[in-house]
Amino acid sequence: MTDSLAPYGSWKSPITSDLIVQGTVRLGEIRLDGDGIYWSEGRPLEGGRSVVVRRTPDGTTTDITPTGFNVRTRVHEYGGGSYIVADETAYFSNFADQRLYRQAVGSEPQPLTPEVDLRYADAVIDRQRNRLICIREDHTNSEREAVNTVVAVSLSNDSPTAGEVLVSGNDFYSSPRLSPDGTQLSWLTWNHPNMPWDGTELWVAEVKETGELGDRHLVAGGLTESVFQPEWSPDGVLYFISDRTNWWNLYRWQNGQVEPLCEKAAEFGLPQWVFGMFTYGFDHDSLICTYTEDGIQHLARLNTQSLELSEIETPFASIGGIQVGAGQAVFGAGSPTTPGVIARLDLKTGQTEVLRRSSETEVDPGYLSVPETVEFPTENGLTAHAFYYPPKNRDCQAPADERPPLLVKIHGGPTAATSATFNLGIQYWTSRGIAILDVNYGGSTGYGRDYRERLKGNWGIVDVDDCVNGAKYLVERGEVDGDRLTIDGGSAGGYTTLAVLAFRDTFKAGASYYGVSDAAALAEDTHKFESRYLDGLIGPYPERQDLYRERSPIHHTDQLSCPVIFFQGDEDKIVPPNQAEKMVEALKAKGIPVAYVLFEGEQHGFRKAENIKRSLDTELYFYSRVFGFELADPVEPVEIANLPQ
């Protein structure tokens, strides 16, 4: 058909917010049990409820979790490791009461733990002693910081029990794993102010016949070595991932010695933001593993005898959450042009089968922008990384003398990363004529520990510089309009958004999603897991209050001169609403155009379909008003203070 001539931003797109939320699910934790494959689905149309789904060999899928239950734990607030399955019985944490439940397939859930303020995650089953071993987070004493321990929860008791403490004394624990013969338990631990990607310790202890732990041995790790995913092989050898050589590479421990398995400038590990993260599993004499190289994820087989690594070809650019067993590998995956899926790889034939799609929506490739991997110059003679998505719509073109607006997207964390995985939320913008630069600024993962540590003491500096330099790079290439640069981000990405707008004059508008505006307030009022995170990103608090004030956008609204919109959940415990509200009031008082959208019942990140839709459309509406372009479709307006009609 003939292209329609329309300004950038005004292109009519079939990728609507309704399309994005209707029938779209968040595919999560995968588990294998016998010939059954299980995964979790977060469903926006069910209020964000998370459900465990079972697939049998004949292809039948069934919801295991009954109505009224939501499989999600709040340990560390971010959760993960919310369920396991053994012998067709699921053991899961329920979001509403945070109790552990046991549910035989086809039966009603039965509580294992009492109705007190305890949270559980990351369980393994101890068959010999008929119990679960897991992480417990104790919130029963509001006068003290939550207490994290490794506990054993009996499966024999008729009445709920809180669990018996096996390991205690440190601030954090994760990844309890039993050896195949049940005689050894391994776990990870770390203390404030470290985060798990800064430094963790891997310990192993003897498990006595009584279930108590005996002699303990430090295997690896320390204050400056991050150990990830300890796992016992079927023959009783302990494997793990460590970044002791700058990159998260594979190792094993046997006969009291640590042996490197595959020295490679690639990341086999991930930042432990949540529990239950898996990047490898065992298949006879091999590891089936995933790794990230130059921002792209790969699947490979590592022979544990010859230590030869061979890549397994797949159609995917991102692979995660892998589970291996019974001649198959099952994992979450995505590519730049197709929605995320649960995929199964037959390890004998090499054939890949898609088991579940996050969306059944079919989008014509003519509306899809394929990302370009970009490496651009930044401060101190260094380079940074991003994915660039040019505008794309088969039905529309802009006037020849016009350049598109650019929306720079900033991932959260900040110790995290973005990828080239298909994202309808990005295609929503590019199909309307707005270019996207998705930035992996210094501090992001996937590029080695040195790159990750660029942000040490420099949050609000390195990330800001990289986002500004990425945008300028595209302007200099002639790709985008330097007078219509916008930026958005959520959580830590929201902080960087506000910092960019306060401390630089490159961007003309921005959107903060539950972002930090006052770093000191975050240091004083957040949950345990991140309560000392800023020590490494900025400096110790309150000793370096000067730095916190210097880096906090709330104290520099006099330097902010462009419109901003804020999105916030009213139940956010990680970044409370007052972080946004103080900023909104300051901008109103200064006469800067500002809008504020508060979502009832939402926490740190939006899970309800109507709120996901509303935030996306409202951000677009906001930019249309700021830059004066007409929208192709009507959008419910939002009140924008100080914006002339």
Side-chain angles (χ1 to χ4, degrees):
M1 63 184 297
T2 304
D3 287 344
S4 173
L5 189 66
Y8 290 113
S10 299
W11 293 357
K12 187 172 182 61
S13 170
I15 305 173
T16 64
S17 58
D18 283 320
L19 182 76
I20 291 172
V21 300
Q22 288 177 359
T24 298
V25 297
R26 293 187 310 277
L27 299 174
E29 302 176 66
I30 301 166
R31 301 289 181 263
L32 304 181
D33 178 47
D35 56 10
I37 299 172
Y38 299 76
W39 61 81
S40 64
E41 294 186 3
R43 297 174 177 171
L45 293 179
E46 295 183 28
R49 186 170 81 99
S50 184
V51 175
V52 175
V53 177
R54 180 194 190 202
R55 184 184 189 274
T56 51
D58 63 2
T60 302
T61 58
T62 309
D63 285 1
I64 299 302
T65 311
T67 302
F69 287 87
N70 182 358
V71 180
R72 182 179 161 206
T73 178
R74 289 186 60 187
V75 179
H76 293 179
E77 294 298 339
Y78 295 109
S82 58
Y83 82 98
I84 61 169
V85 183
D87 302 323
E88 297 191 343
T89 299
Y91 303 89
F92 69 88
S93 177
N94 183 46
F95 180 68
D97 56 15
Q98 288 299 292
R99 300 172 75 184
L100 278 176
Y101 286 80
R102 170 172 48 197
Q103 181 193 5
V105 173
S107 302
E108 286 298 308
Q110 301 297 321
L112 293 171
T113 57
E115 291 185 272
V116 291
D117 201 357
L118 299 170
R119 306 173 184 180
Y120 301 84
D122 208 8
V124 293
I125 192 163
D126 183 353
R127 298 178 187 275
Q128 292 182 21
R129 303 165 187 89
N130 198 29
R131 62 183 184 172
L132 296 179
I133 298 177
C134 59
I135 306 302
R136 187 181 75 187
E137 191 170 79
D138 185 343
H139 291 257
T140 56
N141 187 342
S142 61
E143 300 300 317
R144 70 183 184 193
E145 186 176 61
V147 177
N148 294 64
T149 52
V150 180
V151 301
V153 177
S154 174
L155 301 177
S156 302
N157 294 349
D158 293 330
S159 58
T161 176
E164 176 189 354
V165 175
L166 299 178
V167 188
S168 64
N170 285 354
D171 292 322
F172 301 100
Y173 297 92
S174 76
S175 312
R177 300 292 182 261
L178 268 175
S179 61
D181 62 6
T183 64
Q184 297 183 89
L185 178 72
S186 62
W187 66 89
L188 296 177
T189 184
W190 65 98
N191 288 307
H192 287 312
N194 263 10
M195 300 298 285
W197 45 85
D198 296 323
T200 56
E201 294 178 346
L202 171 58
W203 286 81
V204 171
E206 170 198 4
V207 184
K208 299 179 179 179
E209 290 187 8
T210 59
E212 297 175 316
L213 300 188
D215 293 340
R216 306 179 185 197
H217 181 82
L218 176 63
V219 172
L223 292 176
T224 58
E225 178 185 355
S226 174
V227 179
F228 173 84
Q229 197 194 338
E231 213 72 55
W232 296 91
S233 66
D235 58 352
V237 175
L238 183 60
Y239 286 69
F240 62 94
I241 292 169
S242 166
D243 69 351
R244 58 178 59 186
T245 61
N246 182 51
W247 300 92
W248 268 315
N249 280 182
L250 286 157
Y251 296 82
R252 66 185 167 204
W253 177 72
Q254 56 183 340
N255 302 320
Q257 300 295 318
V258 171
E259 176 189 5
L261 302 181
C262 180
E263 295 181 313
K264 186 176 178 63
E267 301 279 46
F268 289 80
L270 298 166
Q272 255 192 106
W273 276 104
V274 297
F275 295 97
M277 304 175 77
F278 298 92
T279 62
Y280 69 91
F282 298 97
D283 177 52
H284 302 298
D285 61 351
S286 295
L287 287 181
I288 307 301
C289 55
T290 65
Y291 64 89
T292 302
E293 190 172 34
D294 298 326
I296 303 298
Q297 290 177 306
H298 303 263
L299 185 67
R301 179 187 292 273
L302 176 69
N303 187 295
T304 56
Q305 303 301 316
S306 67
L307 303 186
E308 179 184 357
L309 183 74
S310 53
E311 185 163 355
I312 300 172
E313 293 295 330
T314 76
F316 306 114
S318 66
I319 299 169
I322 190 167
Q323 295 284 287
V324 182
Q328 62 185 350
V330 184
F331 46 84
S335 75
T337 57
T338 56
V341 301
I342 300 290
R344 174 187 176 275
L345 172 69
D346 187 310
L347 294 172
K348 293 181 179 179
T349 67
Q351 296 299 306
T352 302
E353 175 188 10
V354 171
L355 307 181
R356 179 73 163 106
R357 301 179 187 276
S358 60
S359 174
E360 295 299 331
T361 300
E362 295 286 343
V363 179
D364 187 310
Y367 300 102
L368 299 180
S369 178
V370 177
E372 169 195 345
T373 300
V374 172
E375 187 173 351
F376 57 88
T378 190
E379 305 305 304
N380 302 313
L382 301 172
T383 60
H385 303 271
F387 297 101
Y388 173 58
Y389 297 78
K392 178 74 175 295
N393 186 315
R394 70 171 195 178
D395 301 330
C396 301
Q397 64 175 351
D401 60 350
E402 186 183 4
R403 292 290 177 268
L406 174 70
L407 174 57
V408 171
K409 285 195 162 290
I410 314 169
H411 65 73
T415 310
T418 188
S419 73
T421 303
F422 179 74
N423 184 337
L424 272 176
I426 285 179
Q427 304 295 337
Y428 173 94
W429 296 98
T430 56
S431 61
R432 284 168 172 75
I434 297 174
I436 294 287
L437 185 69
D438 208 2
V439 181
N440 274 326
Y441 49 81
S444 302
T445 54
Y447 304 92
R449 186 178 182 110
D450 290 345
Y451 192 83
R452 194 165 78 240
E453 292 195 338
R454 286 187 191 179
L455 214 56
K456 281 282 187 181
N458 289 310
W459 194 35
I461 298 175
V462 166
D463 49 325
V464 168
D465 286 337
D466 289 355
C467 291
V468 168
N469 288 327
K472 287 181 175 179
Y473 176 74
L474 292 181
V475 172
E476 291 167 1
R477 282 194 351 185
E479 302 276 0
V480 300
D481 184 349
D483 292 325
R484 292 189 293 175
L485 301 178
T486 64
I487 185 167
D488 77 9
S491 189
Y495 165 77
T496 301
T497 292
L498 296 173
V500 165
L501 298 178
F503 304 135
R504 303 287 192 276
D505 59 4
T506 305
F507 292 85
K508 308 305 179 184
S512 170
Y513 286 75
Y514 35 91
V516 178
S517 63
D518 186 346
L522 184 66
E524 294 169 350
D525 181 22
T526 192
H527 59 124
K528 178 184 177 182
F529 180 62
E530 291 186 271
S531 62
R532 300 289 300 279
Y533 187 19
L534 299 190
D535 283 28
L537 293 174
I538 297 176
Y541 186 85
E543 293 86 345
R544 294 309 310 269
Q545 289 187 61
D546 58 322
L547 284 179
Y548 282 74
R549 186 175 184 85
E550 180 183 311
R551 306 271 183 89
S552 295
I554 189 65
H555 298 302
H556 301 278
T557 54
D558 59 314
Q559 298 173 227
L560 208 160
S561 58
C562 71
V564 188
I565 186 168
F566 295 79
F567 298 93
Q568 181 71 41
D570 71 345
E571 295 182 4
D572 193 336
K573 302 299 183 186
I574 296 170
V575 181
N578 62 359
Q579 289 268 321
E581 290 161 1
K582 288 180 182 178
M583 199 76 177
V584 170
E585 291 308 311
L587 296 180
K588 280 184 179 178
K590 194 182 177 189
I592 294 173
V594 61
Y596 180 46
V597 183
L598 183 67
F599 293 123
E600 182 179 351
E602 289 283 17
Q603 291 132 26
H604 198 64
F606 307 147
R607 295 173 180 271
K608 298 178 182 178
E610 63 270 23
N611 298 336
I612 297 170
K613 168 182 165 58
R614 175 68 171 148
S615 60
L616 196 56
D617 287 339
T618 301
E619 186 179 352
L620 175 65
Y621 173 84
F622 184 77
Y623 296 147
S624 75
R625 292 293 313 281
V626 170
F627 294 121
F629 58 81
E630 296 291 330
L631 296 178
D633 298 298
V635 171
E636 181 183 348
V638 65
E639 180 183 352
I640 306 174
N642 302 323
L643 185 69
Q645 296 297 316

